[in-house]
Amino acid sequence: MSQKILLNTKEVNIILHRLACQLIEKHLDFSNTILIGIQPRGTFLANRLTKILKEEYNISDLKLGLLDITFFRDDFRRSEKPFEANQTQIDFLVEDKNVVFIDDVLYTGRSIRAALTAIQSFGRPKSIELLTLIDRRFSRDLPIQPDYRGRQVDAINNEKVLVKWAENDGEDAVYIDIKK
């Protein structure tokens, strides 16, 4: 397997700030908007965006939740390896709120479909948008597209996109693993 870097630390940082600005343009003060990081990997992106919005753009009234979709996945019982559940942390209602799902990579769309089902346990949102760092546009199984995307990647099926976060992996970078 060989690795190729798609985004380095500087490029990831630029994209994060651009995504934060796009969110501000659409949601202004976030008084009726909730950010929801999809567990597990979307939480790093959601936490980083929340930090940027609060510290660098002075958005004070910002609600962030973390959503576990493990038991809502359509492949839950099909895997030989058991899934590990994460903890959902949503301590507010989503009823009539604008929800922005945040995930690191949009691949087949199945995680987002599971998130759409899971969020209904917390109320009926007014609207739902999707923000992803990486959009693998030619790999969709479901008709799901991001409203906000960091980078579009044309990876084929034997290529895997790996997003690394400084908090978890020691660096901010995006790689593509090519299986030979």
Side-chain angles (χ1 to χ4, degrees):
M1 218 182 323
S2 65
Q3 260 189 1
K4 175 185 163 191
I5 190 159
L6 292 176
L7 298 172
N8 62 31
T9 301
K10 182 179 180 181
E11 292 167 323
V12 169
N13 195 38
I14 290 168
I15 287 171
L16 292 176
H17 281 81
R18 178 173 49 82
L19 290 170
C21 288
Q22 288 175 345
L23 287 171
I24 292 169
E25 286 175 12
K26 177 82 185 269
H27 298 281
L28 301 174
D29 65 355
F30 291 81
S31 59
N32 203 37
T33 300
I34 299 168
L35 304 181
I36 301 285
I38 298 176
Q39 294 272 23
R41 304 288 303 175
T43 60
F44 299 110
L45 177 56
N47 285 327
R48 190 70 70 82
L49 282 171
T50 299
K51 182 177 181 184
I52 290 170
L53 289 166
K54 285 182 175 181
E55 294 177 5
E56 298 183 31
Y57 296 101
N58 300 319
I59 306 293
S60 57
D61 185 27
L62 189 59
K63 289 183 176 62
L64 171 65
L66 306 178
L67 182 64
D68 179 51
I69 59 167
T70 304
F71 301 112
F72 295 92
R73 295 179 59 96
D74 61 3
D75 58 355
F76 174 66
R77 300 208 189 283
R78 293 181 178 194
S79 178
E80 292 178 19
K81 180 184 153 202
F83 286 108
E84 285 186 34
N86 295 284
Q87 188 174 5
T88 291
Q89 299 171 359
I90 299 178
D91 59 356
F92 41 79
L93 292 175
V94 301
E95 192 73 32
D96 275 337
K97 300 290 184 189
N98 299 308
V99 171
V100 180
F101 283 146
I102 299 174
D103 207 1
D104 62 346
V105 178
L106 176 57
Y107 183 31
T108 63
R110 293 187 181 281
S111 293
I112 304 308
R113 192 223 40 90
L116 289 166
T117 303
I119 198 66
Q120 293 175 31
S121 302
F122 299 91
R124 182 178 178 189
K126 179 178 181 182
S127 69
I128 297 177
E129 296 177 324
L130 175 59
L131 180 149
T132 62
L133 182 65
I134 302 296
D135 174 13
R136 289 186 58 163
R137 68 180 176 157
F138 292 134
S139 306
R140 249 20 126 249
D141 291 343
L142 300 170
I144 293 174
Q145 300 299 323
D147 298 283
Y148 312 93
R149 78 173 51 92
R151 172 72 60 90
Q152 207 166 44
V153 175
D154 297 336
I156 55 178
N157 290 332
N158 67 336
E159 299 173 336
K160 181 172 180 157
V161 176
L162 300 171
V163 178
K164 298 195 175 220
W165 297 103
E167 301 89 314
N168 191 58
D169 308 301
E171 68 173 330
D172 288 337
V174 179
Y175 294 92
I176 189 160
D177 263 348
I178 304 166
K179 296 177 186 173
K180 293 187 178 186

